[in-house]
Amino acid sequence: MYEAVIGLEVHVQLSTNSKIFSGSSTAFGAEPNTQASLIDLGMPGVLPVPNAKVFEMAIKFGLAIDAKIEQESIFDRKNYFYPDLPKGYQISQFEKPIVGPGRVTIMLDNGTTKTINITRAHLEEDAGKSVHDVFDGMTGIDLNRAGTPLLEIVSEPELRSAKEAVAYLKVIHSIIRYLDISDGNMAEGSMRCDCNVSIQPKGSDVLGTRTEIKNVNSFRFVEKAIDTEIHRQIEILEDGGRVVQETRLYDPDKDETRPMRSKEEANDYRYFPDPDLLPVVLDSSFIEACNASLPELPATRRARYIAEYGITEYDAGVLVADRDLADYFAEVANISGEGKLAANWVMGSVLAELNQTSKSIIEFPVSAKQLSDLVSRIKDNTLNSKTAKTVFDALLTSDGEVDTIIEQEGLVQMTDTSAIETIVDEVISENSTQATNYRAAPADKRPKMLGFFVGQVMKKSQGKANPQAVNQILASKLAD
Amino acid sequence: MSLTSDHVKRVAKLARLGLTDAETAEILAQLNSILNLVDQMQQIDTKNVMPLAHPLELKQTLRADAVTEMDQREKFQNTAPQVNAGLYLVPRVVE
């Protein structure tokens, strides 16, 4: 039996207006090289000047993971040659990063929690983009992305499975979204993940040789890439082979990892302090201001939702993972005063609709006010679960008031007992054979047979009868 | 510590420099004399000296997060050896 040892390096693009060392715009989607200044192009005779905002963002992240914030940090040069890195080095932080050791808590499938230590988080610049396969024998270079600020978050190798790695990544994603320091969009590359994977015999403390899977760009691919790589390494060891330390790429189409060629040949970055940049020394007041502007973080909010709305730990975990979804839920719960019902609807119909349409809650057509009206009408028995779904579907496509829709569609729930009794009587007389069978049946078979009658009554009432009342009246009338 | 010509060749490769054997020998001698100087400096007791990241004992100034650079692509690309569709072209880097 083997055990996996996984550590992640997560690169997060910080959502500043300008680049980390120049005044070029970082806006996404501009024409190639229109946002690449002399500094971004690596021209001689110009000097980088750091953007204060990136320190504010990094510090907020550090405070959110309970990390040590370094008042003094240093930029180093990481040297390698690749055409999308015009200076021949990337400005990064090596020996003295801005954020020291911290930790986050992840939720495991069995409901328990696990603390994952974070080694460090440091600031660096992104490289440009290379366009292969378009120009005959040539590579095209777009340097708009060169110099975009990145925060690289390095975990300790404390993750033990692909699932844990994804849980960790989701916590990091949730934190950066709450802090609003990045849009966290993995598909567009605003959050990228390198996975260090090794395996060792279970219980052993001798670390196996690790491989690094570069630039995985979705939660699902992180899980699949790690699982695939663990299996590959197990097979090598089982066949008596040796895992080679190397950088690999994950191919989602073939669901395999394969060694990366080209730039990794000589992994010798020759880090040294960048003489173009002085040590950055931040005042305590700067750090204190970051602390004062911290929003409520996911873990705190989860605890608050459990206490305030009486929802389960699991529900609270799902709801707070996305800040916008959490806000939406809270609004529905606050207006309607119904925490549990609101949670059921947001986690049920709302999330299902979002998943199906691949939309975010921001683009969702049903406002929190509309959903809270719906929840209120369920609570006061105007709607039952079936008619409520009809109203919800109507809200998805039209922009009406809940009460107007209920009126227009004639959906007011029938709670008038005599009206329901009339329908029940009709149904029993129309289905006399079934009624006779029911009365002849032993008591333990009856509940199941009652379902038939309930269905008929609901149908006849066009779904408007209160199901609890229907059940009661049917059971007593059929018992005669 | 003293270097061998293999060290010099490796560093030259990392820096993408092509050296002739004569140049390698010449640079080897120069680098070794620099390292000798470093060896001398190593003799000094620096136990009570703070490590220095920069010879200037100053703090870095920071700038506000504002876009101050205008698009000068046309000007910059005038001096580039080859451009196409706004991209800088370089010899192909992957097979």
Side-chain angles (χ1 to χ4, degrees):
Chain A
M1 279 302 281
Y2 295 94
E3 185 172 49
V5 178
I6 303 157
L8 298 188
E9 290 165 22
V10 182
H11 291 85
V12 172
Q13 263 184 13
L14 299 176
S15 52
T16 51
N17 296 321
S18 64
K19 293 186 177 177
I20 182 169
F21 298 119
S22 83
S24 301
S25 168
T26 55
F28 187 78
E31 282 291 303
N33 292 308
T34 54
Q35 293 174 176
S37 68
L38 291 170
I39 289 175
D40 312 316
L41 294 176
M43 290 294 171
V46 290
L47 282 176
V49 185
N51 183 341
K53 190 84 182 168
V54 304
F55 289 92
E56 185 187 318
M57 289 174 157
I59 289 168
K60 281 186 183 176
F61 178 79
L63 293 168
I65 62 161
D66 202 14
K68 185 168 189 294
I69 308 298
E70 300 295 346
Q71 269 183 272
E72 180 174 336
S73 62
I74 289 168
F75 284 107
D76 298 272
R77 292 184 179 182
K78 176 179 178 176
N79 300 278
Y80 68 91
F81 282 96
Y82 204 73
D84 59 23
L85 185 79
K87 296 191 297 299
Y89 58 85
Q90 177 192 31
I91 305 178
S92 181
Q93 295 189 308
F94 185 58
E95 230 168 90
K96 290 182 110 179
I98 176 80
V99 176
R103 64 204 57 81
V104 293
T105 303
I106 62 169
M107 290 262 256
L108 304 180
D109 272 352
N110 60 12
T112 60
T113 58
K114 180 174 174 180
T115 298
I116 304 297
N117 286 293
I118 289 173
T119 318
R120 57 186 283 159
H122 62 258
L123 289 163
E124 60 185 28
E125 57 179 342
D126 208 343
K129 274 184 184 162
S130 302
V131 180
H132 309 293
D133 311 321
V134 176
F135 308 100
D136 192 29
M138 305 293 272
T139 293
I141 306 291
D142 176 7
L143 295 169
N144 280 350
R145 199 181 65 181
T148 297
L150 296 177
L151 184 66
E152 178 173 341
I153 304 154
V154 183
S155 84
E156 288 289 315
E158 295 175 345
L159 301 157
R160 286 292 173 270
S161 68
K163 279 209 154 53
E164 283 188 19
V166 173
Y168 166 81
L169 198 58
K170 286 193 170 162
V171 169
I172 297 294
H173 186 263
S174 185
I175 292 172
I176 62 165
R177 289 299 303 130
Y178 268 69
L179 296 172
D180 203 15
I181 59 174
S182 170
D183 66 25
N185 187 329
M186 290 190 81
E188 280 178 10
S190 319
M191 179 163 148
R192 313 192 285 268
C193 182
D194 299 342
C195 316
N196 290 296
V197 180
S198 69
I199 57 167
Q200 63 193 38
K202 206 158 194 156
S204 160
D205 52 6
V206 184
L207 280 172
T209 306
R210 73 182 163 88
T211 58
E212 180 179 11
I213 315 167
K214 277 262 184 217
N215 274 337
V216 193
N217 66 355
S218 81
F219 292 115
R220 201 165 64 90
F221 290 164
V222 166
E223 181 164 354
K224 292 183 79 171
I226 292 174
D227 270 335
T228 305
E229 180 59 16
I230 291 172
H231 283 124
R232 189 188 70 89
Q233 293 188 10
I234 290 175
E235 265 177 30
I236 291 175
L237 294 192
E238 298 277 279
D239 293 346
R242 266 183 46 230
V243 175
V244 183
Q245 179 164 353
E246 64 187 350
T247 307
R248 301 176 70 86
L249 282 178
Y250 176 67
D251 179 343
D253 295 326
K254 293 183 179 151
D255 192 23
E256 64 176 27
T257 67
R258 54 170 177 266
M260 201 168 140
R261 279 165 289 191
S262 69
K263 78 174 163 188
E264 294 302 319
E265 166 204 0
N267 225 326
D268 183 345
Y269 293 128
R270 295 149 291 144
Y271 284 98
F272 64 89
D274 190 336
D276 285 348
L277 288 155
L278 293 159
V280 177
V281 184
L282 300 169
D283 296 339
S284 317
S285 61
F286 186 90
I287 298 170
E288 198 29 62
C290 295
N291 198 18
S293 68
L294 277 188
E296 182 183 42
L297 291 163
T300 320
R301 194 179 279 212
R302 189 171 65 232
R304 179 163 70 81
Y305 278 15
I306 294 167
E308 265 179 38
Y309 301 115
I311 60 176
T312 65
E313 204 166 312
Y314 175 80
D315 288 0
V318 174
L319 289 170
V320 305
D322 175 346
R323 183 182 182 174
D324 297 322
L325 187 73
D327 289 343
Y328 181 88
F329 158 75
E331 208 181 329
V332 176
N334 289 337
I335 302 175
S336 66
E338 293 296 327
K340 277 184 188 169
L341 255 181
N344 289 346
W345 274 85
V346 173
M347 293 183 57
S349 302
V350 175
L351 276 187
E353 181 65 22
L354 291 179
N355 286 338
Q356 206 170 26
T357 55
S358 298
K359 279 186 178 163
S360 77
I361 189 72
I362 297 289
E363 313 158 278
F364 193 57
V366 184
S367 71
K369 173 74 173 67
Q370 286 175 312
L371 188 63
S372 68
D373 288 346
L374 180 66
V375 165
S376 301
R377 290 288 166 263
I378 299 167
K379 187 61 192 170
D380 70 12
N381 273 328
T382 306
L383 296 172
N384 60 35
S385 57
K386 189 158 181 278
T387 49
K389 189 69 176 61
T390 309
V391 175
F392 182 78
D393 289 343
L395 289 172
L396 286 176
T397 50
S398 69
D399 195 30
E401 291 275 325
V402 167
D403 285 343
T404 318
I405 295 170
I406 293 174
E407 209 171 295
Q408 277 170 357
E409 307 278 322
L411 293 172
V412 177
Q413 180 163 236
M414 203 182 280
T415 45
D416 175 2
T417 319
S418 64
I420 298 175
E421 277 181 5
T422 313
I423 300 176
V424 167
D425 288 338
E426 282 171 30
V427 166
I428 292 176
S429 67
E430 282 163 18
N431 299 282
S432 54
T433 325
Q434 283 90 338
T436 314
N437 289 346
Y438 178 90
R439 293 191 172 108
D444 62 323
K445 294 266 192 275
R446 284 185 174 185
K448 216 176 165 186
M449 295 169 81
L450 194 69
F452 165 77
F453 295 98
V454 174
Q456 295 298 312
V457 174
M458 292 306 288
K459 202 168 149 194
K460 240 183 155 58
S461 76
Q462 287 159 325
K464 288 183 279 184
N466 178 317
Q468 285 89 14
V470 172
N471 264 290
Q472 262 175 19
I473 295 170
L474 264 172
S476 78
K477 289 214 180 259
L478 282 168
D480 291 344
Chain B
M1 173 181 182
S2 75
L3 299 175
T4 65
S5 59
D6 281 347
H7 286 125
V8 176
K9 281 177 189 160
R10 178 171 153 71
V11 173
K13 185 167 192 273
L14 285 169
R16 297 292 192 277
L17 295 174
L19 301 181
T20 64
D21 285 350
E23 285 167 333
T24 304
E26 189 189 342
I27 287 172
L28 174 63
Q30 290 172 352
L31 285 178
N32 271 332
S33 89
I34 292 170
L35 286 179
N36 282 338
L37 178 65
V38 174
D39 274 343
Q40 279 182 44
M41 293 194 284
Q42 298 280 39
Q43 311 296 318
I44 302 163
D45 180 6
T46 56
K47 203 170 60 193
N48 296 316
V49 182
M50 288 285 283
L52 201 61
H54 200 281
L56 299 178
E57 292 193 72
L58 296 169
K59 289 193 287 186
Q60 178 67 47
T61 51
L62 307 178
R63 42 170 260 277
D65 179 29
V67 176
T68 52
E69 293 285 347
M70 299 303 121
D71 172 22
Q72 299 187 75
R73 181 175 81 179
E74 206 177 324
K75 191 173 162 193
F76 298 154
Q77 294 200 333
N78 271 337
T79 55
Q82 221 179 331
V83 293
N84 195 330
L87 298 164
Y88 294 92
L89 294 192
V90 299
R92 192 163 182 161
V93 285
V94 289
E95 309 83 62

